[in-house]
Amino acid sequence: MSGFKLPPTALESLFLGLCLLTSVGKTLGNDNGVRVVVEEDSDAVLPCSLSTKEDITGMLFDWKKDGQKEVFMYDSGKNNANRGQNLQFKGRVSHFQDQLMNGNASIKIQNVNMADSGIYRCIFPHLQPRKTFNIELVVERNLKDRSGEIPGASKPFITTPNQTKDQLLLQCEVEGASQEPKVEWQDSSGNILPAEEPQVSERGGRYYVTINTTVTKTDRYRCVVTQKEISHQTSAETFVFISGASPEPYITTPDATKDWSLLQCEVKGASPEPKVEWQDSSGNILPAEEPQVSERGGRYYVTIKTNVTKTGRYRCVVTQEGISHQTSAETFVFINVNSSSVSEKVCEDCSSAVAFVLGAAVLAVVVAAVPFGLRATNCITVSFNQGAAPDPTTTSNDPTKDIPLLQVRVTGDHQDQNGSSNAP
């Protein structure tokens, strides 16, 4: 008796039935949608077959997760078909080669984890019309409570739907929890973050929760899921880098005299917190007042002041080591030299010149007196006003105060024209 042989349609139905052993046949909005529920660390088979049962060995079909991630691509058996496969699925996804002739494009994902949960699409882009099949994969963790029941406890997974240079939208999703969980966002210090109202839905006694928060600061963030009824808590963590590099600092001069200038540097809206310091043109760090630092919405505002007493170029330097960023602003300061010192120096130079001129004049007077019969026998004493004083006092009877007082004293005997000797 010949062996029993299933017809192709029955064989295909049996294979599809095996694929769906862990599935709850839940339609996701179209006739091709199914829902597959598996436990963490097991293998999941995602079914996809053409109703025409035509041979797809020479065709192309493409699997994507959440509309973006490349899961698996088959292109007429080409070896490089999966060159764009997402790292999450590298080495974990395979297809059923011997079932291609029956139009079966199903795949198997090995050792699934909570992050594998999501909506998968099996796409035949070259068919007319184009064919797309939707499959929801739910990966859940089962724990036993004291009564021996097995309630579902689901670990969250994190995505980033939107990001700019100043902020990041974080989304946390919890899928298939059998007890409704409390879900919240926390920073690295355990502080609860402001978040949008959670979106909660229930399907078949399982709860699905999505909660969004917007962050503006570089840090580690956690989505924490708590199920008090089963004394269970789990979380997922992600690191967020916000580039918030400090703009160029702003320099002002709040106060100045002829001897010094007060320089002020302001940094506005930097993240992470910057180090701000004053430097001279040689790069030497200047003594400065204690920086005034404030924080608003994850952004830092810093003001720092220093006094300078020398003419030169000065820089305010802002350093953010966490993002390897440095910027600076520069200003030129001119300090007036002391005017009184200049006057004194000028007066000293003038006095020297006056002394020289007056000395020459006295000598001329003495020389001129000789022909008139004056004969000095001992010494001549000459005194005159030298230097400049704020309020000069003169003993001259001459009403002209601008003419220096000259005194000539001749000591010793001298004779007049008649030959008689007189002592002064």
Side-chain angles (χ1 to χ4, degrees):
M1 187 175 73
S2 61
F4 177 74
K5 208 171 183 182
L6 288 172
T9 53
L11 180 64
E12 183 181 9
S13 299
L14 176 61
F15 177 82
L16 183 59
L18 292 174
C19 291
L20 297 179
L21 282 178
T22 56
S23 170
V24 289
K26 181 73 174 179
T27 301
L28 301 178
N30 59 60
D31 294 336
N32 298 321
V34 294
R35 181 167 177 258
V36 177
V37 181
V38 296
E39 292 184 9
E40 192 175 24
D41 300 325
S42 63
D43 296 343
V45 175
L46 305 185
C48 176
S49 295
L50 293 178
S51 59
T52 58
K53 305 173 182 60
E54 59 184 298
D55 188 353
I56 61 173
T57 304
M59 292 187 184
L60 181 150
F61 59 88
D62 188 14
W63 282 86
K64 291 184 179 294
K65 179 180 183 293
D66 299 327
Q68 297 177 347
K69 292 183 179 179
E70 185 66 43
V71 179
F72 179 84
M73 178 183 287
Y74 175 88
D75 187 4
S76 305
K78 295 179 182 177
N79 293 329
N80 63 346
N82 280 304
R83 60 185 179 274
Q85 187 179 37
N86 190 278
L87 291 176
Q88 177 182 346
F89 301 100
K90 285 285 186 182
R92 299 172 53 217
V93 184
S94 59
H95 69 295
F96 299 91
Q97 180 68 32
D98 58 346
Q99 290 295 316
L100 295 177
M101 64 182 68
N102 299 319
N104 193 330
S106 302
I107 59 173
K108 180 172 72 172
I109 305 177
Q110 297 177 336
N111 193 29
V112 294
N113 54 61
M114 306 304 293
D116 293 331
S117 297
I119 303 299
Y120 291 75
R121 287 180 173 82
C122 174
I123 307 167
F124 289 86
H126 296 159
L127 288 180
Q128 297 295 330
R130 173 189 175 109
K131 291 286 186 180
T132 300
F133 300 85
N134 296 325
I135 298 92
E136 180 186 10
L137 174 61
V138 177
V139 181
E140 62 181 21
R141 179 181 301 155
N142 291 329
L143 302 172
K144 290 186 178 181
D145 61 14
R146 294 177 181 178
S147 64
E149 298 179 356
I150 308 178
S154 182
K155 184 175 181 179
F157 63 94
I158 297 171
T159 57
T160 54
N162 191 22
Q163 180 177 12
T164 69
K165 66 175 184 176
D166 299 323
Q167 62 183 21
L168 180 69
L169 176 64
L170 295 177
Q171 184 174 88
C172 177
E173 295 181 72
V174 179
E175 297 188 342
S178 62
Q179 301 288 336
E180 184 174 358
K182 175 184 179 183
V183 187
E184 59 190 10
W185 279 102
Q186 297 180 3
D187 62 16
S188 59
S189 300
N191 301 311
I192 298 175
L193 303 179
E196 299 176 7
E197 188 70 21
Q199 301 177 21
V200 183
S201 62
E202 185 267 338
R203 299 192 296 271
R206 300 283 180 170
Y207 290 88
Y208 298 79
V209 183
T210 301
I211 185 170
N212 296 340
T213 187
T214 300
V215 297
T216 59
K217 185 178 179 181
T218 298
D219 198 359
R220 291 192 177 276
Y221 297 94
R222 291 191 306 157
C223 177
V224 181
V225 181
T226 306
Q227 292 170 286
K228 291 183 178 181
E229 293 83 357
I230 59 174
S231 301
H232 176 75
Q233 185 177 83
T234 185
S235 65
E237 186 176 276
T238 186
F239 177 77
V240 173
F241 173 75
I242 302 295
S243 62
S246 170
E248 183 176 312
Y250 181 65
I251 297 176
T252 56
T253 309
D255 195 10
T257 70
K258 62 185 179 65
D259 298 321
W260 52 264
S261 286
L262 176 63
L263 299 180
Q264 177 174 288
C265 177
E266 294 180 81
V267 178
K268 297 181 178 181
S271 178
E273 184 176 356
K275 175 184 177 183
V276 187
E277 59 190 11
W278 279 102
Q279 296 180 4
D280 61 16
S281 58
S282 300
N284 301 312
I285 299 175
L286 303 179
E289 298 178 7
E290 188 70 21
Q292 301 176 18
V293 184
S294 62
E295 185 266 340
R296 299 193 295 274
R299 298 286 179 169
Y300 290 87
Y301 299 77
V302 184
T303 300
I304 187 172
K305 299 177 182 179
T306 187
N307 266 313
V308 296
T309 58
K310 293 174 62 176
T311 296
R313 291 191 177 276
Y314 298 92
R315 289 193 309 155
C316 176
V317 182
V318 182
T319 305
Q320 293 168 287
E321 294 182 355
I323 59 175
S324 301
H325 178 75
Q326 186 177 85
T327 185
S328 65
E330 187 176 272
T331 187
F332 179 78
V333 176
F334 177 75
I335 304 295
N336 290 325
V337 294
N338 194 304
S339 58
S340 61
S341 300
V342 175
S343 301
E344 290 172 3
K345 179 64 179 173
V346 172
C347 289
E348 288 176 3
D349 295 340
C350 293
S351 300
S352 300
V354 171
F356 175 79
V357 173
L358 293 180
V362 170
L363 181 60
V365 171
V366 173
V367 172
V370 174
F372 291 94
L374 295 176
R375 185 179 63 186
T377 60
N378 285 337
C379 65
I380 298 175
T381 301
V382 179
S383 64
F384 53 91
N385 291 338
Q386 181 177 350
D391 297 310
T393 303
T394 178
T395 57
S396 172
N397 293 326
D398 193 330
T400 306
K401 296 182 180 180
D402 295 332
I403 300 176
L405 173 63
L406 299 180
Q407 291 184 345
V408 179
R409 185 182 178 202
V410 180
T411 60
D413 295 336
H414 66 274
Q415 294 180 342
D416 57 16
Q417 294 180 354
N418 297 325
S420 59
S421 177
N422 297 307

